[in-house]
């Protein structure tokens, strides 16, 4: 039983409009996205108090909308699906692109990390390595 990889984790990120990582949170998959979204945006505000608002997809509506508006006193914009099927949603592609960049990192392609903290740290390291490669 010992030494098994832990299955079922989710990665939530907060990026700026350029897709640069501001905050990352990794947690168990049994926590709903709306609850986790509240925590990740609240933690991002601690590091970046000048954030005026957040854009999120429809998976973060209701609980997160209420939390951001009533408790954090920030604005939240939920991207709704325009047509059935696949479509580029306004502003959401920035986060999706950043997640795609991170998934190109071999270490993040699977859940190799034992602890949540090391998974968060590897996400930040992978993003930093990506930015450094672009400078060269």
């Amino acid at each position: 039983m010992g030494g098994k990889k832990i299955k079922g984790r989710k990665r939530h990120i907060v990026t700026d409009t350029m897709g640069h990582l501001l905050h990352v949170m990794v947690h168990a998959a049994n926590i709903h996205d709306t609850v986790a979204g509240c925590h990740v945006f609240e933690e991002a505000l601690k590091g970046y108090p000048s954030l005026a608002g957040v854009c999120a997809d429809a998976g973060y509506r209701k609980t997160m909308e209420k939390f951001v508006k009533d408790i954090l006193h920030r604005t939240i914009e939920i991207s709704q699906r325009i047509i059935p099927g696949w479509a580029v949603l306004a502003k959401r592609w920035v986060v999706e692109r950043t997640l795609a960049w991170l998934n190109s990192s071999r270490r993040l392609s699977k859940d190799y990390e034992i602890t949540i903290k090391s998974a968060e740290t590897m996400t930040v390291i992978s993003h930093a390595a990506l930015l450094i490669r672009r400078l060269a």
Side-chain angles (χ1 to χ4, degrees), residues 34-103:
T34 57
V35 176
C38 297
H39 295 302
V40 72
F41 187 59
E42 186 176 28
E43 290 297 316
L45 279 175
K46 289 178 184 176
Y48 302 93
S50 63
L51 289 174
V54 62
C55 296
D57 72 343
Y60 292 95
R61 66 187 180 279
K62 295 185 183 175
T63 306
M64 186 170 170
E65 276 183 302
K66 187 174 177 95
F67 181 79
V68 169
K69 288 178 184 175
D70 298 342
I71 296 173
L72 299 178
H73 306 292
R74 300 289 200 272
T75 59
I76 182 167
E77 182 182 323
I78 301 292
S79 299
Q80 299 295 331
R81 186 168 28 164
I82 301 166
I83 57 173
W86 190 89
V88 175
L89 299 176
K91 299 177 188 172
R92 177 166 163 70
W93 67 271
V94 176
V95 174
E96 292 298 330
R97 181 185 63 189
T98 303
L99 286 170
W101 290 339
L102 291 173
N103 283 334

